Amino acid sequence: MAKRSSLYIRIVEGKNLPAKDITGSSDPYCIVKVDNEPIIRTATVWKTLCPFWGEEYQVHLPPTFHAVAFYVMDEDALSRDDVIGKVCLTRDTIASHPKGFSGWAHLTEVDPDEEVQGEIHLRLEVWPGARACRLRCSVLEARDLAPKDRNGTSDPFVRVRYKGRTRETSIVKKSCYPRWNETFEFELQEGAMEALCVEAWDWDLVSRNDFLGKVVIDVQRLRVVQQEEGWFRLQPDQSKSRRHDEGNLGSLQLEVRLRDETVLPSSYYQPLVHLLCHEVKLGMQGPGQLIPLIEETTSTECRQDVATNLLKLFLGQGLAKDFLDLLFQLELSRTSETNTLFRSNSLASKSMESFLKVAGMQYLHGVLGPIINKVFEEKKYVELDPSKVEVKDVLRAAPPADRGRGAGAERADAARPPGGPAERAQPLGSRVPRRGARHLPPALPARARALPRRPARECTVHRRHQLPVPALLLSRHHVAQALPPAGAPRGRPHQPHPAPVGQVQNVGNMDTPASRAKEAWMEPLQPTVRQGVAQLKDFITKLVDIEEKDELDLQRTLSLQAPPVKEGPLFIHRTKGKGPLMSSSFKKLYFSLTTEALSFAKTPSSKKSALIKLANIRAAEKVEEKSFGGSHVMQVIYTDDAGRPQTAYLQCKCVNELNQWLSALRKVSINNTGLLGSYHPGVFRGDKWSCCHQKEKTGQGCDKTRSRVTLQEWNDPLDHDLEAQLIYRHLLGVEAMLWERHRELSGGAEAGTVPTSPGKVPEDSLARLLRVLQDLREAHSSSPAGSPPSEPNCLLELQT
């Protein structure tokens, strides 16, 4: 069995930040670090002290991580970015409230003595002596120390203190992965209560030494165990008085949730999976009992998660089509108005939304990506609704000659800026039909055809073009992914503008009078809307007329091609030799990662050449910044066809892209044999490694690999056991309601007693489900990790 941790992070906004620029403002962004390793960087919000980000992420981590920290930075073009403040949450703090943190947290000052990281390898022994016992402390090595010098390294040494005596190791120059292998002895006195303190320091020739962290050893406990060896995490120096400046640096609104899952072997989940699959297979003969009951007992706030888990489970079982057909039947049976189909917060609506993301996100990126990217690149302020136009934004976007005409003229011109929403909406509205129905992923036409083929009695309006297939595809698929986050200020240069997206919504609604009446300021777009409606009608006709034979032929064609997991431009290191490695030795190429290989080409359209076979990857890790004189470099360690170890160095343009590539490489190679447990974060230059100064090129690495640190994305491989565990966890949370329904159906049977005699009370699907939950609970209770905690009802507020 395996224990897996995932961290949900939403960075909402900041307020009352201090001004860092001479203009009296700041350009804030956030860096998220897990155990001092940067994993996320938000967008920069320019010239504001109250930024809104609205960005959310989910990170998969090993259960042993210690803390997550949010640093608010001020971006500077000419100098080093300023640190405004930080919020730090330990793992224990987050884990103690499984519903997570939600609210405002005060930023605190970044204290250099608290910015410690890394671990130190110690061997501690108590030896009997002639007159008294001896305490022996062996300082072996350290890893991932904080870089304190400008060259991106440190010059570490260790200071060992006990009962007023101090001993120091030698200094290892320019390394965050030093090795000492030095031993010190101290005399132990009976009854002495003083602790052994091991401190790591960065040596400086001119200024004072920088503190790197410390470990405090309980000598009395060591007397009992006699000997102890291992890696100890360095801790900050908390003996100094801290500055209490909370509230002076502003606040950060966050949502953070930690979920730990103990995933049992597949065999334990088979009864649950078989029961749910049996319900879906029989569902078309008449709605079963379990799926409607799951929807009924699922709260609004977690319905999306449950729908996604169920969909992924049935995708893995090859029953996604049957599952969605069953939900369609349930949705149509309780809907009298077609305009409300798949617009409520139902399980059918949420499942279809998840299905469209899984099946059509890559197609969506190809359709909307170029238009959305163009909006971002132009960074123009455009707004059709005069009530939302802010004069200062329009004046900033207007030419200098037009800035003195007054607010009224500026507001009137806001609806007709060059390259505004009307001009952008035309390519956005016509791009979907122009790509053609045959370019859609095969699963989407199949789902679109399912609606018009429903019997007339299930819906008051059932003719092909009157059913809401366009709204289903455009509202739930295209529009939902293009709009800015909820609560974000619309029309700003860093956000997609809603007017072109609203035009797509009106096209999806077939430009009904009701849709036009809602927003009179959309009137300038009506000619474009009418043109889009005509194109879309033809598109929908072809969409639902694709025959199943053509669909199968297309599926076979696509199945022969390895779909890209991730692709984009990267810089690859091409030079060889013993000279210095500089960033200028990187060459830009276009890379594509599939389930078969990592390939490259000169351009996206040119012929690709395989660089690394997927099965040969042994690790994908970051590289120390000092190694190449540049940041955001990763290494892919692999074996060539002859079995010899090789390393490819690739540079990304930003920290987010770096972590996305690392995540994708780790996911596709997770089942490879021979994955490395350690690696060198530096490079082998001359006759030694730049990180730890080892002279053996093929020796064991000086740092541990981080193969379990990945980002959750829409194209993640299916994990059947994890999805089954998540469904079980949800059902466990609503078990009381399931028992209540069981008592109603079985005529008042006591809770907790599932009928075992089919002759007395027929064991229906609900009774079998309750029995399965009991068996899984017992399996979790007997596992070393124990039973998974149920979801509490309270939500911890950081600051109100």
Side-chain angles (χ1 to χ4, degrees):
M1 65 192 65
K3 189 172 183 179
R4 312 176 191 184
S5 296
S6 63
L7 194 64
Y8 169 81
I9 296 171
R10 184 165 188 254
I11 306 169
V12 186
E13 60 182 322
K15 67 178 180 182
N16 302 329
L17 301 182
K20 291 292 185 178
D21 301 335
I22 58 175
T23 60
S25 184
S26 292
D27 304 315
Y29 67 91
C30 286
I31 290 285
V32 182
K33 295 183 179 181
V34 175
D35 289 347
N36 297 103
E37 181 176 352
I39 57 171
I40 295 167
R41 185 200 191 279
T42 68
T44 300
V45 185
W46 303 99
K47 294 179 172 51
T48 180
L49 300 181
C50 296
F52 181 93
W53 291 286
E55 299 186 19
E56 58 184 57
Y57 306 87
Q58 190 154 339
V59 188
H60 298 291
L61 299 162
T64 54
F65 85 94
H66 297 83
V68 55
F70 302 83
Y71 291 79
V72 180
M73 312 287 293
D74 168 58
E75 183 168 341
D76 289 322
L78 302 179
S79 61
R80 196 169 187 175
D81 293 352
D82 300 316
V83 181
I84 296 176
K86 75 169 185 177
V87 174
C88 186
L89 302 173
T90 65
R91 188 195 189 286
D92 293 339
T93 301
I94 305 172
S96 63
H97 300 85
K99 273 289 185 179
F101 292 104
S102 179
W104 292 92
H106 292 301
L107 292 173
T108 60
E109 185 181 13
V110 175
D111 184 353
D113 286 342
E114 291 190 359
E115 297 301 296
V116 302
Q117 65 184 61
E119 300 169 304
I120 187 168
H121 189 187
L122 303 175
R123 183 187 302 122
L124 305 163
E125 300 168 287
V126 175
W127 287 82
R131 292 180 300 177
C133 293
R134 307 287 295 179
L135 171 61
R136 181 177 295 177
C137 175
S138 297
V139 182
L140 305 179
E141 58 185 323
R143 63 190 181 194
D144 196 26
L145 299 179
K148 294 292 184 178
D149 299 335
R150 290 189 175 183
N151 58 12
T153 63
S154 290
D155 303 320
F157 69 94
V158 173
R159 183 178 295 159
V160 183
R161 293 189 289 108
Y162 180 68
K163 293 199 64 165
R165 295 187 59 192
T166 301
R167 305 288 296 275
E168 293 183 355
T169 66
S170 58
I171 300 170
V172 180
K173 295 292 188 67
K174 298 181 180 180
S175 176
C176 293
Y177 297 83
R179 296 188 174 215
W180 295 283
N181 291 319
E182 299 183 28
T183 302
F184 308 105
E185 287 192 3
F186 302 90
E187 183 176 324
L188 280 179
Q189 296 180 358
E190 289 294 334
M193 303 297 293
E194 190 169 345
L196 175 72
C197 185
V198 181
E199 298 175 343
W201 291 84
D202 167 53
W203 176 83
D204 286 320
L205 178 63
V206 179
S207 60
R208 70 181 183 89
N209 297 335
D210 297 311
F211 180 71
L212 294 176
K214 69 177 182 180
V215 176
V216 179
I217 307 297
D218 184 353
V219 176
Q220 296 301 317
R221 188 183 64 83
L222 185 61
R223 280 178 177 272
V224 177
V225 297
Q226 294 292 308
Q227 183 174 346
E228 186 173 2
E229 179 180 350
W231 288 93
F232 295 82
R233 183 169 182 81
L234 292 170
Q235 302 294 330
D237 186 3
Q238 298 176 341
S239 61
K240 300 180 180 179
S241 60
R242 297 184 56 185
R243 295 176 57 182
H244 298 282
D245 54 2
E246 291 187 355
N248 299 329
L249 300 178
S251 303
L252 192 63
Q253 187 180 6
L254 301 169
E255 293 179 22
V256 185
R257 291 196 305 271
L258 174 66
R259 183 168 64 191
D260 290 325
E261 294 294 344
T262 300
V263 182
L264 302 172
S266 300
S267 57
Y268 287 91
Y269 299 109
Q270 287 307 308
L272 175 62
V273 174
H274 288 162
L275 181 59
L276 293 174
C277 290
H278 180 71
E279 284 283 305
V280 168
K281 291 176 183 178
L282 297 179
M284 298 312 298
Q285 302 174 11
Q289 184 182 12
L290 291 186
I291 300 300
L293 189 56
I294 290 175
E295 179 175 22
E296 179 184 337
T297 56
T298 301
S299 63
T300 302
E301 62 181 5
C302 63
R303 193 164 292 166
Q304 181 67 73
D305 291 337
V306 174
T308 302
N309 297 145
L310 286 171
L311 177 69
K312 289 184 176 180
L313 179 72
F314 291 122
L315 275 171
Q317 300 296 321
L319 292 174
K321 174 181 178 297
D322 302 277
F323 174 59
L324 291 174
D325 282 345
L326 174 59
L327 293 180
F328 286 176
Q329 182 182 9
L330 295 173
E331 183 84 356
L332 290 169
S333 64
R334 61 192 175 203
T335 304
S336 58
E337 292 292 334
T338 58
N339 289 335
T340 63
L341 275 175
F342 306 108
R343 292 177 181 269
S344 63
N345 191 21
S346 64
L347 191 64
S349 176
K350 297 302 183 182
S351 297
M352 174 53 84
E353 189 174 326
S354 298
F355 172 75
L356 290 173
K357 287 181 180 180
V358 173
M361 187 65 79
Q362 187 173 347
Y363 163 80
L364 182 65
H365 284 183
V367 173
L368 296 184
I371 306 299
I372 298 298
N373 291 337
K374 188 176 181 180
V375 173
F376 275 98
E377 292 168 2
E378 291 178 355
K379 295 184 178 180
K380 293 182 179 179
Y381 182 89
V382 287
E383 179 61 72
L384 287 183
D385 186 357
S387 65
K388 295 182 180 179
V389 175
E390 297 181 21
V391 177
K392 60 183 179 66
D393 292 318
V394 179
L395 290 175
R396 187 165 61 241
D402 295 337
R403 292 182 182 175
R405 297 190 299 138
E410 298 294 350
R411 290 181 187 273
D413 289 346
R416 296 180 296 277
E423 287 78 4
R424 290 175 182 155
Q426 187 168 2
L428 187 60
S430 62
R431 190 168 177 85
V432 176
R434 193 167 64 243
R435 288 288 296 266
R438 290 183 178 274
H439 287 84
L440 276 166
L444 296 185
R447 295 300 90 226
R449 288 198 309 271
L451 286 175
R453 292 176 180 176
R454 292 295 169 207
R457 59 182 174 81
E458 293 182 345
C459 194
T460 56
V461 182
H462 59 86
R463 286 176 295 174
R464 173 172 296 169
H465 298 307
Q466 290 178 310
L467 280 167
V469 177
L472 176 67
L473 289 175
L474 295 176
S475 302
R476 287 291 181 185
H477 193 212
H478 296 68
V479 179
Q481 304 307 315
L483 281 173
R490 295 180 171 182
R492 301 298 191 268
H494 65 283
Q495 295 285 2
H497 192 273
V501 182
Q503 181 256 4
V504 178
Q505 178 76 66
N506 282 352
V507 171
N509 292 333
M510 291 301 183
D511 189 34
T512 60
S515 67
R516 294 198 301 270
K518 289 180 181 178
E519 299 157 333
W521 47 268
M522 291 285 286
E523 188 62 32
L525 294 180
Q526 288 310 308
T528 308
V529 170
R530 286 189 286 269
Q531 179 184 356
V533 168
Q535 294 173 328
L536 191 61
K537 284 183 177 180
D538 180 65
F539 171 73
I540 296 299
T541 300
K542 295 176 180 178
L543 175 67
V544 297
D545 281 341
I546 294 179
E547 296 296 332
E548 292 189 10
K549 178 182 179 299
D550 297 335
E551 179 190 333
L552 293 174
D553 291 340
L554 184 57
Q555 284 179 336
R556 294 190 190 99
T557 302
L558 293 176
S559 64
L560 299 177
Q561 308 170 1
V565 176
K566 184 169 179 58
E567 53 188 352
L570 294 172
F571 295 85
I572 183 170
H573 180 253
R574 282 299 199 184
T575 62
K576 295 183 179 180
K578 297 184 179 181
L581 301 173
M582 303 300 293
S583 58
S584 58
S585 59
F586 283 86
K587 180 180 180 181
K588 185 177 181 180
L589 294 171
Y590 192 87
F591 280 81
S592 177
L593 175 65
T594 68
T595 54
E596 296 177 355
L598 177 64
S599 305
F600 67 92
K602 290 185 177 180
T603 64
S605 57
S606 57
K607 184 178 180 181
K608 294 181 175 61
S609 302
L611 174 66
I612 304 171
K613 293 181 180 178
L614 187 65
N616 293 346
I617 295 178
R618 297 294 174 260
E621 299 293 336
K622 296 180 180 179
V623 178
E624 278 187 311
E625 186 171 331
K626 66 166 185 172
S627 301
F628 293 99
S631 55
H632 316 316
V633 180
M634 66 178 175
Q635 57 180 309
V636 184
I637 306 171
Y638 65 100
T639 55
D640 57 19
D641 293 336
R644 295 170 298 197
Q646 303 288 346
T647 303
Y649 295 99
L650 305 172
Q651 187 173 32
C652 306
K653 63 181 180 181
C654 63
V655 66
N656 282 354
E657 187 182 68
L658 171 64
N659 284 302
Q660 288 165 9
W661 273 102
L662 287 172
S663 178
L665 286 163
R666 290 166 179 171
K667 289 172 185 174
V668 296
S669 59
I670 190 65
N671 295 319
N672 285 3
T673 57
L675 291 177
L676 298 178
S678 63
Y679 79 109
H680 288 285
V683 294
F684 195 80
R685 182 185 294 120
D687 61 348
K688 63 182 179 182
W689 288 98
S690 63
C691 46
C692 59
H693 303 170
Q694 286 189 64
K695 295 185 179 296
E696 187 178 352
K697 186 175 183 179
T698 58
Q700 186 178 9
C702 57
D703 198 5
K704 56 186 177 182
T705 55
R706 296 167 174 84
S707 60
R708 297 183 67 178
V709 180
T710 58
L711 304 176
Q712 181 169 316
E713 296 178 292
W714 57 269
N715 58 348
D716 282 354
L718 294 176
D719 188 337
H720 310 119
D721 294 339
L722 178 59
E723 300 304 330
Q725 166 63 24
L726 293 176
I727 293 171
Y728 157 68
R729 184 189 181 102
H730 169 71
L731 294 174
L732 198 63
V734 298
E735 188 178 20
M737 288 185 281
L738 297 178
W739 276 111
E740 181 65 29
R741 179 55 59 88
H742 176 259
R743 285 197 298 271
E744 294 176 3
L745 297 176
S746 59
E750 293 184 8
T753 57
V754 180
T756 57
S757 175
K760 295 181 180 179
V761 181
E763 189 176 18
D764 58 7
S765 56
L766 177 55
R768 292 196 297 271
L769 176 63
L770 292 170
R771 183 182 301 281
V772 168
L773 294 181
Q774 285 182 348
D775 294 340
L776 278 172
R777 187 191 298 107
E778 292 175 0
H780 273 285
S781 300
S782 60
S783 69
S787 179
S790 59
E791 296 280 359
N793 295 322
C794 60
L795 184 66
L796 180 65
E797 296 290 335
L798 283 179
Q799 177 74 24
T800 58

